[in-house]
C-alpha cells in the first residue's frame, strides 16, 4: 500500500520523541525515538487505521495531498 496521506512530524520535549500526526485520519498518530522511526511507525498506524475503518464500515478519506494548517 502506497501511503499518500500528509504527515505532520515534530519533536515533543514532553514526550522526548518525534510525533507524527495524520490530519486526514482522525486520531491517527505515531511516535518514535528518531525521525525515521516515527515515520515508519506512522506508516504502520495508517495501514492499521484503514484496515480497522474497513472492518467497522467507517468511510476512508481520500488523500488530498498537501494541506495548509499554518
Amino acid at each position: 500500500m502506497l501511503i499518500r496521506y500528509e504527515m505532520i512530524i515534530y519533536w515533543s520535549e514532553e514526550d522526548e520523541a518525534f510525533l507524527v500526526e495524520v490530519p486526514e485520519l482522525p486520531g491517527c498518530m505515531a511516535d518514535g525515538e528518531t525521525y525515521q522511526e516515527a515515520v515508519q511507525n506512522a506508516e504502520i498506524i495508517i495501514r492499521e487505521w484503514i484496515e480497522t475503518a474497513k472492518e467497522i464500515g467507517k468511510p476512508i478519506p481520500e488523500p488530498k495531498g498537501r494541506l495548509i494548517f499554518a
Side-chain angles (χ1 to χ4, degrees), residues 5-8 22-25 63-70:
Y5 291 96
E6 180 176 55
M7 293 185 232
I8 299 172
V22 185
E24 294 173 275
L25 304 177
K64 294 179 183 164
R66 186 172 180 196
L67 303 174
I68 300 175
F69 286 98

Side-chain angles (χ1 to χ4, degrees), residues 34-56:
T34 66
Y35 187 95
Q36 291 79 9
E37 181 182 318
V39 170
Q40 289 173 344
N41 290 341
E43 290 174 348
I44 292 167
I45 296 302
I46 289 169
R47 287 184 191 96
E48 290 177 356
W49 192 102
I50 292 169
E51 287 173 16
T52 300
K54 287 179 181 177
E55 287 174 9
I56 63 174

